[in-house]
Amino acid sequence: VAAYEPGSVAKVITIASALSDGLVTPESSYLVPWRKQYYDDLLTDSHQHPDEWLSVSQILTESSNIGTIMVQQEMGRWRHRDYMAAFGLGQKSELDFPGESIGILKQADELWGSERVTVAYGQGVASTSLQLVAAVNTIANDGGYVAPKLVKATVGPDGSVTDTPPSPEHRVVSEQAATQTAEMMRNVVCTGTATRAQVDGLSIAGKTGTAFKVADNGTYFDDNGDRIYYASFVVFFPADDPQVTVLVSVDEPP
């Protein structure tokens, strides 16, 4: 029920949103440096590389921070914030689970400095695991958000099975945008940052995410001065006809 920064898993939201608004296509390309100054911070990709042209598909597959910012700037932070809310961030789920956090989703005009762009790749925003898996499940569900629930059906004394009421749903992105994003997520597993998640005979779509974790001292560093992380991986499968969406998170991976 606690919230944490989703890291690069949030890139799925940014890319799908821009695709849905028709601002980019999977083939749209940007000249992406490995680092760039935004407001008060010099932001970087995960590794140093020469300036290179990356398509939107490659940006998600290779998990480029700078490339994702470039896509977000096509929308502007106000429109991007609307999409993050539509994906279920910044609000309690329909479960109304005791102690459930709403996470952190600031209004666009409350973002300061580089926060205005780092939210594109999941920093400066916080979500619960439930919010995050429900958000990515929107892509698996052809662009429609389906509120999570704990009980699928009840069984009466006579053995009769009664389904619980259907979960509330709403359209978030177009079906085409969801299909395009799902294909990019397949590439993440086939050739990108999650190749170790491949399973013979099963098509998998996924997205990795590594986010800085806030320590008790209020910084992203532990008492030894080492940066600490929260690692996540969200998948759905089979990729071409999703039946299951799973989130795996590791608190302070070694």
Side-chain angles (χ1 to χ4, degrees), residues 31 46 55 61 67 75 78 80 86 98 109 116 146 148 164 176 191 193 229 239 249:
L31 184 59
S46 62
S55 67
T61 300
M75 290 184 285
W78 286 269
H80 181 230
D109 56 6
R116 296 166 179 168
V146 179
T164 56
Q176 180 184 39
T191 62
T193 58
Y229 299 91
S249 295

Side-chain angles (χ1 to χ4, degrees), residues 164-187:
T164 56
S167 297
E169 303 180 27
H170 63 263
R171 170 65 53 186
V172 181
V173 297
S174 68
E175 185 172 345
Q176 180 184 39
T179 299
Q180 292 170 331
T181 305
E183 183 60 30
M184 296 178 197
M185 293 173 67
R186 289 185 69 171
N187 292 338

Side-chain angles (χ1 to χ4, degrees), residues 71-135:
V71 173
Q72 184 231 24
Q73 290 184 318
E74 299 281 3
M75 290 184 285
R77 63 181 184 272
W78 286 269
R79 181 63 173 161
H80 181 230
R81 198 273 178 194
D82 289 343
Y83 266 115
M84 287 193 289
F87 271 95
L89 303 189
Q91 56 200 297
K92 287 187 177 182
S93 72
E94 293 291 330
L95 293 183
D96 195 25
F97 199 77
E100 181 182 355
S101 170
I102 64 171
I104 299 173
L105 181 62
K106 296 180 181 180
Q107 295 295 333
D109 56 6
E110 294 175 348
L111 297 170
W112 295 100
S114 61
E115 263 189 341
R116 296 166 179 168
V117 294
T118 61
V119 291
Y121 58 82
Q123 292 184 358
V125 58
S127 66
T128 66
S129 297
L130 184 62
Q131 288 171 336
L132 191 57
V133 73

Side-chain angles (χ1 to χ4, degrees):
V1 294
Y4 59 94
E5 292 187 343
S8 292
V9 173
K11 293 172 182 172
V12 171
I13 295 174
T14 303
I15 298 300
S17 301
L19 288 168
S20 188
D21 273 1
L23 300 170
V24 298
T25 70
E27 294 76 31
S28 299
S29 295
Y30 298 86
L31 184 59
V32 181
W34 79 277
R35 62 182 180 179
K36 187 174 181 180
Q37 187 78 31
Y38 289 96
Y39 302 99
D40 50 345
D41 284 325
L42 183 62
L43 304 179
T44 70
D45 276 349
S46 62
H47 62 281
Q48 187 171 348
H49 59 78
D51 292 2
E52 58 183 338
W53 285 98
L54 294 178
S55 67
V56 169
S57 181
Q58 290 172 316
I59 285 169
L60 188 64
T61 300
E62 299 179 18
S63 202
S64 169
N65 294 337
I66 305 302
T68 305
I69 290 172
M70 292 176 169
V71 173
Q72 184 231 24
Q73 290 184 318
E74 299 281 3
M75 290 184 285
R77 63 181 184 272
W78 286 269
R79 181 63 173 161
H80 181 230
R81 198 273 178 194
D82 289 343
Y83 266 115
M84 287 193 289
F87 271 95
L89 303 189
Q91 56 200 297
K92 287 187 177 182
S93 72
E94 293 291 330
L95 293 183
D96 195 25
F97 199 77
E100 181 182 355
S101 170
I102 64 171
I104 299 173
L105 181 62
K106 296 180 181 180
Q107 295 295 333
D109 56 6
E110 294 175 348
L111 297 170
W112 295 100
S114 61
E115 263 189 341
R116 296 166 179 168
V117 294
T118 61
V119 291
Y121 58 82
Q123 292 184 358
V125 58
S127 66
T128 66
S129 297
L130 184 62
Q131 288 171 336
L132 191 57
V133 73
V136 175
N137 188 65
T138 299
I139 303 302
N141 199 48
D142 295 329
Y145 179 89
V146 179
K149 62 180 179 179
L150 288 175
V151 179
K152 182 178 181 180
T154 58
V155 181
D158 60 353
S160 60
V161 177
T162 303
D163 291 337
T164 56
S167 297
E169 303 180 27
H170 63 263
R171 170 65 53 186
V172 181
V173 297
S174 68
E175 185 172 345
Q176 180 184 39
T179 299
Q180 292 170 331
T181 305
E183 183 60 30
M184 296 178 197
M185 293 173 67
R186 289 185 69 171
N187 292 338
V188 169
V189 176
C190 291
T191 62
T193 58
T195 55
R196 295 178 67 181
Q198 295 174 9
V199 177
D200 289 342
L202 183 63
S203 60
I204 297 175
K207 184 68 190 80
T208 54
T210 304
F212 300 148
K213 178 185 175 182
V214 178
D216 292 338
N217 58 26
T219 73
Y220 288 125
F221 299 88
D222 62 20
D223 293 336
N224 296 322
D226 297 321
R227 193 181 289 279
I228 52 178
Y229 299 91
Y230 211 108
S232 300
F233 183 45
V234 186
V235 300
F236 53 81
F237 56 88
D240 51 355
D241 183 23
Q243 302 297 313
V244 179
T245 302
V246 178
L247 165 66
V248 177
S249 295
V250 181
D251 191 351
E252 297 187 32

